[in-house]
Amino acid sequence: MFEGSLYGKGPLPIACWAYVLAEMKPDFGKEQFYVELNPEKVAHAIGKVEEGAVVALIEEFCSPDEKSRNVQQDGRRLVREGQFTYLVVNGAMYNEIKKREAKREQNRLAQQRYRGKPKVVRQADDNEPSWVTADKEERFRKSQSGRAHEEAWQIAIREAEAMPPDDVPRGTSPAPNPPSPSASASASPP
């Protein structure tokens, strides 16, 4: 936007042109854009600028520009229509740029809001769908893994209790416990 024939002319022309673009209004019947440029108001809005400098800039914007990339109106940026009313020659083009930038900003904010929302995940429960947030889904998953871990631990304990002692080879049953000497003495006849 400011890399055309305004490049290198200093901050005042750029500030004045930015004011023009910010203040231009559409004429919907003609699809053209107009701006009200009262040099005193523009000088005050830009800040610490003499009114004469703004008048000179407006005249420069209204004069032909050989270095301009725009061939419409011999490179003029503005065409005077009334005492303070000017036609912005490329107003429609600048409006499209503004629309695209606004759309990008809108999409950026929408994406930011979307990323901040909790995700919705479908979780099947007894063949009936239920909708839960991602936080609940994560808690559910952790509780299920905790339960599965606990169940696996209980199964391992039961299997360990059912296993024969280590000194008995697998596939054989352990020998019955031999009677203790005191039990054998009481069981034998006198």
Side-chain angles (χ1 to χ4, degrees):
M1 183 169 4
F2 300 119
E3 297 183 9
S5 59
L6 278 180
Y7 180 78
K9 295 209 175 178
L12 186 58
I14 290 176
C16 190
W17 189 245
Y19 178 87
V20 168
L21 296 180
E23 295 296 318
M24 69 180 187
K25 305 285 186 250
D27 180 1
F28 294 109
K30 299 178 183 177
E31 296 183 14
Q32 294 177 333
F33 288 81
Y34 292 89
V35 66
E36 290 280 325
L37 293 177
N38 181 337
E40 184 180 349
K41 181 181 177 188
V42 175
H44 179 68
I46 292 174
K48 294 188 179 182
V49 178
E50 292 184 22
E51 189 177 331
V54 174
V55 170
L57 276 173
I58 292 172
E59 288 175 6
E60 184 180 332
F61 291 157
C62 290
S63 62
D65 185 0
E66 303 137 9
K67 296 180 181 179
S68 177
R69 291 181 272 183
N70 183 14
V71 294
Q72 293 178 347
Q73 300 285 337
D74 296 324
R76 291 180 177 89
R77 290 181 175 78
L78 300 174
V79 175
R80 189 176 199 138
E81 298 273 323
Q83 183 179 1
F84 296 124
T85 306
Y86 295 87
L87 166 71
V88 182
V89 176
N90 282 341
M93 180 191 72
Y94 287 114
N95 188 52
E96 278 300 313
I97 292 170
K98 200 183 326 184
K99 277 186 191 176
R100 277 186 267 146
E101 288 174 0
K103 184 70 175 167
R104 277 192 210 114
E105 178 68 10
Q106 180 184 2
N107 288 341
R108 186 186 66 76
L109 293 174
Q111 192 69 12
Q112 190 177 31
R113 285 190 304 271
Y114 174 76
R115 288 181 182 135
K117 284 185 178 180
K119 304 285 187 272
V120 177
V121 180
R122 184 178 175 144
Q123 175 65 36
D125 184 25
D126 297 335
N127 296 328
E128 298 240 353
S130 65
W131 295 87
V132 293
T133 62
D135 298 344
K136 290 180 184 176
E137 171 66 21
E138 185 63 26
R139 286 195 303 258
F140 175 77
R141 199 174 308 126
K142 285 181 180 178
S143 69
Q144 291 302 320
S145 68
R147 283 188 206 141
H149 181 71
E150 182 65 29
E151 287 174 6
W153 183 253
Q154 293 299 328
I155 290 170
I157 290 173
R158 283 194 299 265
E159 286 177 355
E161 288 173 349
M163 292 178 94
D166 286 340
D167 56 342
V168 177
R170 290 186 186 250
T172 62
S173 58
N177 289 339
S180 64
S182 62
S184 60
S186 63
S188 58

